[in-house]
Protein backbone atom coordinates (compact mmCIF):
# COMPACT_ATOMS: atom_id res chain seq x y z
CA UNK A 1 0.00 0.00 0.00
CA UNK A 2 1.08 3.51 -0.69
CA UNK A 3 1.65 5.85 2.21
CA UNK A 4 0.04 9.09 1.29
CA UNK A 5 0.91 11.37 4.02
CA UNK A 6 2.69 11.16 7.32
CA UNK A 7 1.12 14.02 9.14
CA UNK A 8 2.35 12.80 12.49
CA UNK A 9 5.68 11.67 13.78
CA UNK A 10 6.38 7.95 13.87
CA UNK A 11 6.42 6.35 17.29
CA UNK A 12 8.78 3.42 16.90
CA UNK A 13 5.99 0.89 16.74
CA UNK A 14 6.51 -2.53 18.20
CA UNK A 15 4.59 -5.64 17.22
CA UNK A 16 4.89 -7.29 20.63
CA UNK A 17 1.23 -7.83 21.47
CA UNK A 18 -1.55 -8.38 18.98
CA UNK A 19 -5.18 -7.92 19.84
CA UNK A 20 -8.04 -8.03 17.39
CA UNK A 21 -10.31 -5.06 17.74
CA UNK A 22 -14.01 -4.52 17.32
CA UNK A 23 -15.87 -3.02 14.39
CA UNK A 24 -18.70 -0.54 14.60
CA UNK A 25 -21.15 0.33 11.88
CA UNK A 26 -22.27 3.91 11.69
CA UNK A 27 -24.38 5.73 9.23
CA UNK A 28 -23.34 8.63 7.08
CA UNK A 29 -25.17 11.34 5.17
CA UNK A 30 -26.19 10.94 1.58
CA UNK A 31 -27.84 9.85 -1.19
CA UNK A 32 -31.40 8.83 -1.97
CA UNK A 33 -33.35 11.37 -3.94
CA UNK A 34 -36.12 13.10 -2.02
CA UNK A 35 -39.41 11.23 -1.92
CA UNK A 36 -41.23 13.74 -4.08
CA UNK A 37 -39.58 14.42 -7.46
CA UNK A 38 -38.47 17.97 -8.08
CA UNK A 39 -40.93 18.26 -10.94
CA UNK A 40 -43.87 17.56 -8.65
CA UNK A 41 -42.62 19.99 -6.02
CA UNK A 42 -42.16 22.64 -8.72
CA UNK A 43 -45.59 22.01 -10.19
CA UNK A 44 -47.18 22.48 -6.79
CA UNK A 45 -45.54 25.92 -6.70
CA UNK A 46 -46.68 26.75 -10.21
CA UNK A 47 -43.09 26.50 -11.47
CA UNK A 48 -41.26 24.42 -14.02
CA UNK A 49 -37.93 22.76 -13.23
CA UNK A 50 -35.73 21.84 -16.14
CA UNK A 51 -32.37 20.52 -17.14
CA UNK A 52 -30.17 20.79 -20.19
CA UNK A 53 -29.58 17.36 -21.68
CA UNK A 54 -27.42 15.54 -24.18
CA UNK A 55 -29.63 13.35 -26.37
CA UNK A 56 -27.25 10.41 -26.65
CA UNK A 57 -27.21 9.99 -22.88
CA UNK A 58 -30.98 9.72 -22.34
CA UNK A 59 -30.91 6.07 -21.30
CA UNK A 60 -30.10 4.25 -18.06
CA UNK A 61 -29.71 6.29 -14.90
CA UNK A 62 -29.25 9.54 -16.83
CA UNK A 63 -32.53 9.04 -18.65
CA UNK A 64 -34.31 7.85 -15.52
CA UNK A 65 -33.35 10.96 -13.57
CA UNK A 66 -33.97 13.37 -16.44
CA UNK A 67 -37.43 11.90 -16.91
CA UNK A 68 -38.40 11.53 -13.28
CA UNK A 69 -37.10 14.73 -11.72
CA UNK A 70 -37.60 17.42 -14.36
CA UNK A 71 -40.59 18.65 -16.32
CA UNK A 72 -38.64 20.66 -18.85
CA UNK A 73 -35.67 19.79 -21.07
CA UNK A 74 -33.35 22.09 -22.95
CA UNK A 75 -31.14 20.56 -25.61
CA UNK A 76 -27.66 21.61 -24.47
CA UNK A 77 -26.30 21.69 -28.01
CA UNK A 78 -28.68 19.78 -30.30
CA UNK A 79 -30.76 22.71 -31.57
CA UNK A 80 -27.91 25.11 -32.22
CA UNK A 81 -27.46 26.11 -35.83
CA UNK A 82 -24.12 24.34 -36.13
CA UNK A 83 -25.76 21.12 -34.94
CA UNK A 84 -28.82 21.18 -37.17
CA UNK A 85 -27.33 22.51 -40.44
CA UNK A 86 -23.64 21.56 -40.50
CA UNK A 87 -23.62 21.89 -44.28
CA UNK A 88 -25.76 24.54 -45.95
CA UNK A 89 -29.04 22.99 -46.94
CA UNK A 90 -28.22 19.66 -45.31
CA UNK A 91 -29.96 19.16 -42.00
CA UNK A 92 -29.38 16.86 -39.06
CA UNK A 93 -32.29 16.82 -36.67
CA UNK A 94 -31.49 13.47 -35.10
CA UNK A 95 -30.54 14.57 -31.59
CA UNK A 96 -33.05 17.41 -31.45
CA UNK A 97 -35.85 15.06 -32.52
CA UNK A 98 -34.74 12.51 -29.96
CA UNK A 99 -34.88 15.02 -27.13
CA UNK A 100 -38.30 16.29 -28.19
CA UNK A 101 -39.61 12.71 -28.40
CA UNK A 102 -38.18 11.89 -24.97
CA UNK A 103 -39.80 15.01 -23.53
CA UNK A 104 -43.17 14.14 -25.02
CA UNK A 105 -42.92 10.60 -23.69
CA UNK A 106 -42.21 11.98 -20.23
CA UNK A 107 -44.78 14.76 -20.27
CA UNK A 108 -42.11 17.44 -20.28
CA UNK A 109 -41.82 20.86 -21.85
CA UNK A 110 -38.97 21.67 -24.20
CA UNK A 111 -37.08 24.95 -24.19
CA UNK A 112 -35.65 25.51 -27.65
CA UNK A 113 -32.05 26.74 -27.56
CA UNK A 114 -31.06 28.80 -29.53
CA UNK A 115 -31.77 30.61 -32.83
CA UNK A 116 -29.67 33.77 -33.19
CA UNK A 117 -26.31 33.45 -31.43
CA UNK A 118 -22.71 34.30 -32.22
CA UNK A 119 -21.37 30.88 -31.19
CA UNK A 120 -21.75 27.31 -32.43
CA UNK A 121 -22.82 28.45 -35.86
CA UNK A 122 -21.87 26.31 -38.85
CA UNK A 123 -18.57 27.19 -40.48
CA UNK A 124 -20.23 27.72 -43.84
CA UNK A 125 -22.21 30.54 -42.22
CA UNK A 126 -19.42 32.15 -40.24
CA UNK A 127 -16.86 31.82 -43.04
CA UNK A 128 -19.17 33.10 -45.74
CA UNK A 129 -19.25 36.61 -47.12
CA UNK A 130 -22.78 37.89 -47.03
CA UNK A 131 -24.60 41.08 -47.85
CA UNK A 132 -27.01 42.37 -45.22
CA UNK A 133 -29.91 41.18 -47.32
CA UNK A 134 -28.43 37.69 -47.64
CA UNK A 135 -27.69 37.52 -43.94
CA UNK A 136 -31.20 38.59 -43.10
CA UNK A 137 -32.65 35.95 -45.41
CA UNK A 138 -30.40 33.27 -43.94
CA UNK A 139 -31.54 34.10 -40.42
CA UNK A 140 -35.19 34.30 -41.37
CA UNK A 141 -35.02 30.96 -43.20
CA UNK A 142 -33.20 29.36 -40.31
CA UNK A 143 -35.85 30.52 -37.85
CA UNK A 144 -38.69 29.51 -40.15
CA UNK A 145 -37.18 26.08 -40.70
CA UNK A 146 -36.29 25.22 -37.13
CA UNK A 147 -39.20 26.83 -35.30
CA UNK A 148 -41.55 25.53 -37.98
CA UNK A 149 -40.25 21.99 -37.64
CA UNK A 150 -41.05 21.94 -33.93
CA UNK A 151 -44.18 24.06 -34.08
CA UNK A 152 -46.48 23.20 -31.20
CA UNK A 153 -43.80 21.16 -29.43
CA UNK A 154 -41.66 23.89 -27.92
CA UNK A 155 -42.83 25.79 -24.85
CA UNK A 156 -40.28 28.56 -25.19
CA UNK A 157 -37.48 29.53 -27.54
CA UNK A 158 -34.28 31.31 -26.64
CA UNK A 159 -34.64 33.30 -29.83
CA UNK A 160 -31.71 35.62 -29.22
CA UNK A 161 -28.77 34.50 -27.13
CA UNK A 162 -26.12 36.64 -25.47
CA UNK A 163 -26.56 39.91 -27.41
CA UNK A 164 -24.75 42.14 -24.91
CA UNK A 165 -21.27 42.95 -23.70
CA UNK A 166 -20.62 43.32 -19.99
CA UNK A 167 -20.88 47.11 -20.20
CA UNK A 168 -24.31 46.93 -21.79
CA UNK A 169 -23.24 47.74 -25.34
CA UNK A 170 -24.19 45.36 -28.10
CA UNK A 171 -21.79 42.51 -28.68
CA UNK A 172 -19.95 42.57 -31.97
CA UNK A 173 -21.38 39.53 -33.75
CA UNK A 174 -22.23 38.25 -37.17
CA UNK A 175 -25.77 39.46 -36.60
CA UNK A 176 -25.18 42.83 -35.00
CA UNK A 177 -22.40 43.76 -37.38
CA UNK A 178 -24.34 42.65 -40.44
CA UNK A 179 -27.86 43.67 -39.54
CA UNK A 180 -27.67 46.17 -36.70
CA UNK A 181 -29.63 45.86 -33.45
CA UNK A 182 -32.80 45.39 -35.47
CA UNK A 183 -31.89 41.72 -35.96
CA UNK A 184 -33.31 41.15 -32.48
CA UNK A 185 -36.78 42.47 -33.27
CA UNK A 186 -36.77 40.71 -36.63
CA UNK A 187 -35.74 37.37 -35.14
CA UNK A 188 -38.53 37.60 -32.57
CA UNK A 189 -41.07 38.55 -35.21
CA UNK A 190 -40.07 35.66 -37.49
CA UNK A 191 -40.17 33.22 -34.59
CA UNK A 192 -43.68 34.36 -33.65
CA UNK A 193 -44.83 33.83 -37.22
CA UNK A 194 -43.36 30.32 -37.31
CA UNK A 195 -44.92 29.18 -34.02
CA UNK A 196 -47.43 31.57 -32.48
CA UNK A 197 -47.78 29.41 -29.35
CA UNK A 198 -44.13 29.38 -28.31
CA UNK A 199 -42.97 31.89 -25.71
CA UNK A 200 -40.13 33.95 -27.11
CA UNK A 201 -37.11 34.84 -24.98
CA UNK A 202 -33.90 36.81 -25.02
CA UNK A 203 -31.29 34.97 -22.98
CA UNK A 204 -27.96 36.15 -21.57
CA UNK A 205 -25.38 35.55 -18.83
CA UNK A 206 -24.14 37.86 -16.09
CA UNK A 207 -27.56 39.49 -16.09
CA UNK A 208 -28.73 37.86 -12.85
CA UNK A 209 -28.13 40.87 -10.64
CA UNK A 210 -28.82 44.52 -11.30
CA UNK A 211 -25.83 45.74 -13.31
CA UNK A 212 -24.96 47.52 -16.57
CA UNK A 213 -25.57 44.44 -18.69
CA UNK A 214 -28.91 43.51 -17.14
CA UNK A 215 -30.00 47.13 -17.33
CA UNK A 216 -29.23 47.15 -21.04
CA UNK A 217 -31.33 44.00 -21.38
CA UNK A 218 -34.08 45.63 -19.33
CA UNK A 219 -34.07 48.71 -21.55
CA UNK A 220 -34.13 46.56 -24.68
CA UNK A 221 -37.10 44.53 -23.47
CA UNK A 222 -38.91 47.70 -22.48
CA UNK A 223 -38.39 49.24 -25.91
CA UNK A 224 -39.38 46.01 -27.70
CA UNK A 225 -42.58 45.87 -25.68
CA UNK A 226 -43.29 49.50 -26.45
CA UNK A 227 -42.78 48.84 -30.16
CA UNK A 228 -45.11 45.85 -30.13
CA UNK A 229 -42.37 43.34 -30.90
CA UNK A 230 -43.27 39.83 -29.67
CA UNK A 231 -41.14 39.30 -26.57
CA UNK A 232 -42.50 37.05 -23.85
CA UNK A 233 -39.61 36.49 -21.52
CA UNK A 234 -36.04 36.98 -20.46
CA UNK A 235 -33.65 34.18 -19.65
CA UNK A 236 -31.09 34.71 -16.92
CA UNK A 237 -28.54 31.99 -17.57
CA UNK A 238 -27.06 31.96 -14.04
CA UNK A 239 -23.69 30.32 -14.56
CA UNK A 240 -22.64 31.19 -11.04
CA UNK A 241 -19.49 30.89 -8.95
CA UNK A 242 -19.63 29.39 -5.46
CA UNK A 243 -20.79 31.92 -2.89
CA UNK A 244 -21.55 34.59 -5.47
CA UNK A 245 -25.32 34.64 -5.93
CA UNK A 246 -26.02 38.32 -6.64
CA UNK A 247 -27.79 40.00 -3.75
CA UNK A 248 -30.06 41.78 -6.23
CA UNK A 249 -31.23 38.61 -8.00
CA UNK A 250 -34.85 38.74 -6.81
CA UNK A 251 -35.06 42.50 -7.33
CA UNK A 252 -33.76 42.02 -10.86
CA UNK A 253 -36.23 39.24 -11.63
CA UNK A 254 -39.01 41.43 -10.26
CA UNK A 255 -38.11 44.43 -12.43
CA UNK A 256 -38.30 42.31 -15.56
CA UNK A 257 -41.59 40.81 -14.40
CA UNK A 258 -42.89 44.33 -13.86
CA UNK A 259 -42.28 45.00 -17.55
CA UNK A 260 -44.88 42.35 -18.30
CA UNK A 261 -42.61 39.51 -19.37
CA UNK A 262 -41.87 36.11 -17.88
CA UNK A 263 -38.47 35.31 -16.41
CA UNK A 264 -36.65 32.00 -16.52
CA UNK A 265 -33.42 30.93 -14.90
CA UNK A 266 -32.21 29.09 -17.97
CA UNK A 267 -28.76 27.62 -17.36
CA UNK A 268 -28.18 27.42 -13.63
CA UNK A 269 -24.97 25.93 -12.32
CA UNK A 270 -22.64 26.83 -9.45
CA UNK A 271 -19.01 25.99 -10.07
CA UNK A 272 -16.32 25.56 -7.45
CA UNK A 273 -12.59 24.99 -7.32
CA UNK A 274 -11.96 21.25 -7.26
CA UNK A 275 -11.85 19.10 -5.31
CA UNK A 276 -15.28 19.49 -3.82
CA UNK A 277 -15.56 19.05 -0.08
CA UNK A 278 -18.42 19.11 2.38
CA UNK A 279 -17.96 22.81 3.14
CA UNK A 280 -18.09 23.78 -0.53
CA UNK A 281 -21.03 21.49 -1.20
CA UNK A 282 -22.91 23.09 1.69
CA UNK A 283 -22.22 26.55 0.27
CA UNK A 284 -23.32 25.34 -3.14
CA UNK A 285 -26.55 24.07 -1.63
CA UNK A 286 -27.13 27.49 -0.08
CA UNK A 287 -26.47 29.11 -3.46
CA UNK A 288 -28.91 26.86 -5.30
CA UNK A 289 -31.48 27.45 -2.60
CA UNK A 290 -31.07 31.22 -2.90
CA UNK A 291 -31.62 31.12 -6.65
CA UNK A 292 -34.66 28.87 -6.37
CA UNK A 293 -36.08 31.00 -3.58
CA UNK A 294 -35.71 34.17 -5.64
CA UNK A 295 -37.63 32.57 -8.50
CA UNK A 296 -40.29 31.14 -6.21
CA UNK A 297 -40.81 34.61 -4.75
CA UNK A 298 -41.72 36.19 -8.09
CA UNK A 299 -44.91 34.95 -9.74
CA UNK A 300 -43.68 35.59 -13.28
CA UNK A 301 -40.48 33.63 -12.73
CA UNK A 302 -41.74 30.52 -14.43
CA UNK A 303 -38.86 28.11 -14.92
CA UNK A 304 -35.54 27.19 -13.34
CA UNK A 305 -33.36 25.04 -15.57
CA UNK A 306 -30.03 23.58 -14.50
CA UNK A 307 -27.35 23.40 -17.17
CA UNK A 308 -26.89 19.66 -16.90
CA UNK A 309 -28.12 17.85 -13.80
CA UNK A 310 -25.02 15.72 -13.24
CA UNK A 311 -21.36 16.64 -12.88
CA UNK A 312 -20.67 14.04 -15.55
CA UNK A 313 -22.50 16.18 -18.12
CA UNK A 314 -21.37 19.71 -17.37
CA UNK A 315 -19.58 22.22 -19.58
CA UNK A 316 -17.64 23.63 -16.64
CA UNK A 317 -14.52 21.43 -16.28
CA UNK A 318 -13.50 21.76 -19.92
CA UNK A 319 -14.09 25.51 -19.97
CA UNK A 320 -12.72 26.37 -16.54
CA UNK A 321 -9.90 23.91 -15.82
CA UNK A 322 -9.70 23.14 -12.11
CA UNK A 323 -13.35 24.02 -11.58
CA UNK A 324 -16.38 21.77 -11.65
CA UNK A 325 -18.86 19.93 -9.41
CA UNK A 326 -21.33 22.59 -10.56
CA UNK A 327 -24.57 20.59 -10.80
CA UNK A 328 -27.00 19.04 -8.29
CA UNK A 329 -25.93 15.41 -8.88
CA UNK A 330 -22.42 14.03 -8.72
CA UNK A 331 -20.75 12.13 -11.54
CA UNK A 332 -22.26 8.86 -10.30
CA UNK A 333 -25.78 10.33 -10.27
CA UNK A 334 -25.93 10.62 -6.50
CA UNK A 335 -27.89 13.70 -5.45
CA UNK A 336 -25.68 16.30 -3.76
CA UNK A 337 -26.69 18.72 -1.01
CA UNK A 338 -27.66 21.13 -3.82
CA UNK A 339 -30.33 18.68 -4.93
CA UNK A 340 -31.93 18.69 -1.49
CA UNK A 341 -31.63 22.48 -1.35
CA UNK A 342 -33.59 22.75 -4.59
CA UNK A 343 -36.20 20.38 -3.19
CA UNK A 344 -36.54 22.42 -0.02
CA UNK A 345 -36.78 25.73 -1.87
CA UNK A 346 -39.62 24.16 -3.87
CA UNK A 347 -41.43 23.24 -0.69
CA UNK A 348 -39.98 19.79 -0.09
CA UNK A 349 -39.46 18.69 3.45
CA UNK A 350 -35.76 18.61 4.07
CA UNK A 351 -32.36 19.89 3.14
CA UNK A 352 -30.73 17.12 5.11
CA UNK A 353 -29.94 14.16 2.92
CA UNK A 354 -31.39 10.92 4.24
CA UNK A 355 -28.96 8.82 6.20
CA UNK A 356 -28.02 5.22 5.92
CA UNK A 357 -27.10 4.84 2.27
CA UNK A 358 -23.33 5.06 2.73
CA UNK A 359 -21.78 3.75 5.91
CA UNK A 360 -18.37 3.93 7.53
CA UNK A 361 -16.99 0.98 9.48
CA UNK A 362 -14.09 1.51 11.88
CA UNK A 363 -12.09 -1.51 12.89
CA UNK A 364 -9.02 -1.93 15.06
CA UNK A 365 -6.84 -4.44 13.23
CA UNK A 366 -4.00 -5.25 15.56
CA UNK A 367 -3.11 -3.66 18.87
CA UNK A 368 -0.02 -3.85 21.07
CA UNK A 369 1.28 -2.09 24.16
CA UNK A 370 1.50 1.43 22.71
CA UNK A 371 0.23 1.13 19.16
CA UNK A 372 -2.47 -0.18 16.90
CA UNK A 373 -3.54 -0.31 13.29
CA UNK A 374 -6.95 0.94 12.27
CA UNK A 375 -9.01 0.48 9.16
CA UNK A 376 -12.04 2.42 7.98
CA UNK A 377 -14.25 1.05 5.22
CA UNK A 378 -16.78 3.24 3.45
CA UNK A 379 -19.49 1.24 1.70
CA UNK A 380 -22.47 2.42 -0.31
CA UNK A 381 -25.73 0.71 -1.05
CA UNK A 382 -28.44 2.49 -2.98
CA UNK A 383 -26.20 5.54 -3.10
CA UNK A 384 -22.75 6.61 -4.17
CA UNK A 385 -20.11 9.18 -3.34
CA UNK A 386 -17.74 11.21 -5.51
CA UNK A 387 -15.61 12.32 -2.57
CA UNK A 388 -15.63 11.73 1.15
CA UNK A 389 -14.36 12.80 4.52
CA UNK A 390 -14.40 10.32 7.40
CA UNK A 391 -14.46 12.14 10.73
CA UNK A 392 -14.27 10.93 14.28
CA UNK A 393 -13.27 11.97 17.77
CA UNK A 394 -11.01 9.72 19.77
CA UNK A 395 -12.29 9.00 23.25
CA UNK A 396 -8.97 8.37 24.97
CA UNK A 397 -5.28 9.03 24.41
CA UNK A 398 -5.24 7.91 20.78
CA UNK A 399 -3.22 9.51 18.02
CA UNK A 400 -3.05 8.75 14.29
CA UNK A 401 0.61 8.52 13.35
CA UNK A 402 0.51 7.49 9.69
CA UNK A 403 -2.29 6.96 7.18
CA UNK A 404 -2.51 5.29 3.81
CA UNK A 405 -5.15 5.59 1.10
CA UNK A 406 -6.43 8.74 2.79
CA UNK A 407 -5.12 12.09 3.93
CA UNK A 408 -5.63 12.31 7.69
CA UNK A 409 -5.17 15.18 10.04
CA UNK A 410 -5.70 15.21 13.78
CA UNK A 411 -6.33 18.26 15.93
CA UNK A 412 -6.62 17.39 19.60
CA UNK A 413 -8.89 14.38 19.60
CA UNK A 414 -10.63 15.25 16.31
CA UNK A 415 -9.54 13.25 13.27
CA UNK A 416 -10.53 14.02 9.70
CA UNK A 417 -9.53 11.76 6.81
CA UNK A 418 -10.18 12.84 3.22
CA UNK A 419 -10.08 10.61 0.19
CA UNK A 420 -6.91 10.41 -1.85
CA UNK A 421 -6.95 11.64 -5.44
CA UNK A 422 -7.70 8.15 -6.70
CA UNK A 423 -10.32 6.78 -4.29
CA UNK A 424 -12.94 9.49 -3.79
CA UNK A 425 -15.48 7.61 -5.83
CA UNK A 426 -17.53 4.98 -4.02
CA UNK A 427 -20.07 3.51 -6.43
CA UNK A 428 -23.45 2.13 -5.47
CA UNK A 429 -22.70 -1.36 -4.17
CA UNK A 430 -18.99 -0.66 -3.78
CA UNK A 431 -16.61 0.19 -0.96
CA UNK A 432 -13.31 1.92 -0.29
CA UNK A 433 -10.96 1.34 2.66
CA UNK A 434 -8.10 3.24 4.17
CA UNK A 435 -5.81 2.40 7.03
CA UNK A 436 -3.65 4.05 9.62
CA UNK A 437 -1.19 3.41 12.39
CA UNK A 438 -1.98 4.91 15.76
CA UNK A 439 -0.70 5.13 19.27
CA UNK A 440 -2.83 4.73 22.36
CA UNK A 441 -2.56 4.90 26.11
CA UNK A 442 -5.00 3.91 28.81
CA UNK A 443 -7.64 2.44 26.52
CA UNK A 444 -8.35 2.28 22.83
CA UNK A 445 -12.12 2.64 22.38
CA UNK A 446 -13.77 2.47 18.96
CA UNK A 447 -14.99 5.92 17.95
CA UNK A 448 -18.10 6.92 16.03
CA UNK A 449 -17.26 7.75 12.41
CA UNK A 450 -19.34 10.13 10.36
CA UNK A 451 -19.06 10.83 6.67
CA UNK A 452 -19.05 14.33 5.33
O1 LIG B 1 -19.43 17.09 -30.37
C1 LIG B 1 -18.02 17.32 -30.34
C2 LIG B 1 -17.26 16.02 -30.30
O2 LIG B 1 -17.50 15.30 -31.48
C3 LIG B 1 -15.78 16.32 -30.13
O3 LIG B 1 -15.10 15.12 -29.94
C4 LIG B 1 -15.54 17.20 -28.92
C5 LIG B 1 -14.08 17.59 -28.79
O4 LIG B 1 -13.94 18.83 -28.12
O5 LIG B 1 -16.30 18.39 -29.05
C6 LIG B 1 -17.69 18.14 -29.13
O6 LIG B 1 -18.36 19.37 -29.22
C7 LIG B 1 -18.42 20.11 -28.05
C8 LIG B 1 -19.87 20.36 -27.72
O7 LIG B 1 -19.99 21.20 -26.60
C9 LIG B 1 -20.63 19.06 -27.41
O8 LIG B 1 -20.09 18.45 -26.28
C10 LIG B 1 -17.70 21.42 -28.26
O9 LIG B 1 -16.30 21.19 -28.43
C11 LIG B 1 -17.93 22.33 -27.09
O10 LIG B 1 -17.39 23.61 -27.39
C12 LIG B 1 -19.40 22.47 -26.82
O11 LIG B 1 -19.55 23.26 -25.68
C13 LIG B 1 -20.85 23.77 -25.48
C14 LIG B 1 -20.79 25.27 -25.32
O12 LIG B 1 -22.09 25.76 -25.08
C15 LIG B 1 -20.25 25.98 -26.54
O13 LIG B 1 -20.25 27.35 -26.30
C16 LIG B 1 -21.41 23.14 -24.22
O14 LIG B 1 -21.58 21.74 -24.38
C17 LIG B 1 -22.75 23.81 -23.90
O15 LIG B 1 -23.17 23.34 -22.63
C18 LIG B 1 -22.56 25.31 -23.85
O16 LIG B 1 -23.77 25.90 -23.56
C19 LIG B 1 -23.78 27.32 -23.50
C20 LIG B 1 -25.15 27.77 -23.89
O17 LIG B 1 -25.48 27.28 -25.15
C21 LIG B 1 -25.26 29.28 -23.87
N1 LIG B 1 -24.85 29.81 -22.60
C22 LIG B 1 -23.55 29.37 -22.12
C23 LIG B 1 -23.47 27.86 -22.11
C24 LIG B 1 -22.14 27.40 -21.55
O18 LIG B 1 -21.09 27.73 -22.39
Amino acid sequence: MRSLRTGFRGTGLSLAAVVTGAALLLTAPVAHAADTPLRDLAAAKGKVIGTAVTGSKLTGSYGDIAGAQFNSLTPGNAMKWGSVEPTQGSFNWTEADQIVAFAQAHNQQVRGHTLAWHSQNPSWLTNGTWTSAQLSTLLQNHINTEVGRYKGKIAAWDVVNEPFNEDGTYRSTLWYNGLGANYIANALTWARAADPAAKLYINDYNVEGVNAKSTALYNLVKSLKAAGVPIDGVGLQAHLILGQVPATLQQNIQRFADLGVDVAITELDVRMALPADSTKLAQQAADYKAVLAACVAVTRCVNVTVWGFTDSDSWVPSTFPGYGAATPYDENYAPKPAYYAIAEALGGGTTTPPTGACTATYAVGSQWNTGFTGQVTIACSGASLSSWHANWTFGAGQQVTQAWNAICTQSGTAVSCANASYNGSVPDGGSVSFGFNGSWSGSNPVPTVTLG
Side-chain angles (χ1 to χ4, degrees), residues 76-77 80 113-114 117 119-120 161-162 203 205 237 239 267 307 314-315 318-319:
N77 289 294
K80 293 169 180 173
H113 176 82
T114 180
W117 192 26
S119 183
Q120 288 181 286
N161 200 35
E162 302 173 359
N203 189 48
Y205 63 89
Q237 292 186 7
H239 293 293
E267 305 184 15
W307 203 244
S314 168
W315 70 296
S318 61
T319 306

Side-chain angles (χ1 to χ4, degrees), residues 135-336:
L135 208 50
S136 182
T137 301
L138 284 166
L139 183 58
Q140 182 173 12
N141 287 345
H142 170 62
I143 290 173
N144 281 344
T145 302
E146 182 151 10
V147 177
R149 178 181 183 84
Y150 296 110
K151 182 179 179 182
K153 298 177 179 175
I154 303 289
W157 273 105
D158 290 332
V159 177
V160 176
N161 200 35
E162 302 173 359
F164 288 111
N165 294 315
E166 299 304 295
D167 65 0
T169 57
Y170 282 110
R171 186 192 287 267
S172 169
T173 70
L174 176 68
W175 308 118
Y176 180 72
N177 296 339
L179 302 173
N182 212 34
Y183 85 89
I184 296 173
N186 284 338
L188 290 160
T189 303
W190 295 327
R192 173 68 89 233
D195 185 353
K199 300 288 188 191
L200 306 180
Y201 278 65
I202 302 173
N203 189 48
D204 215 326
Y205 63 89
N206 289 350
V207 292
E208 294 74 34
V210 174
N211 57 36
K213 192 174 186 179
S214 66
T215 298
L217 179 58
Y218 176 87
N219 289 331
L220 171 64
V221 172
K222 192 175 182 181
S223 67
L224 291 171
K225 292 281 287 184
V229 175
I231 173 73
D232 301 307
V234 296
L236 315 181
Q237 292 186 7
H239 293 293
L240 302 176
I241 298 170
L242 191 69
Q244 296 185 24
V245 178
T248 52
L249 174 61
Q250 185 179 324
Q251 175 193 341
N252 193 41
I253 294 172
Q254 186 66 58
R255 72 169 172 161
F256 281 106
D258 291 344
L259 284 179
V261 294
D262 291 339
V263 179
I265 307 294
T266 51
E267 305 184 15
L268 176 60
D269 51 24
V270 180
R271 63 184 179 269
M272 63 182 70
L274 297 173
D277 61 29
S278 54
T279 304
K280 293 178 194 174
L281 292 174
Q283 178 63 55
Q284 183 184 52
D287 293 342
Y288 269 91
K289 191 173 175 187
V291 173
L292 269 290
C295 185
V296 166
V298 180
T299 306
R300 289 203 76 147
C301 185
V302 295
N303 179 311
V304 177
T305 288
V306 294
W307 203 244
F309 64 86
T310 160
D311 292 338
S312 68
D313 187 41
S314 168
W315 70 296
V316 169
S318 61
T319 306
F320 301 101
Y323 283 77
T327 79
Y329 285 79
D330 74 12
E331 295 186 345
N332 299 309
Y333 305 126
K336 293 156 57 180

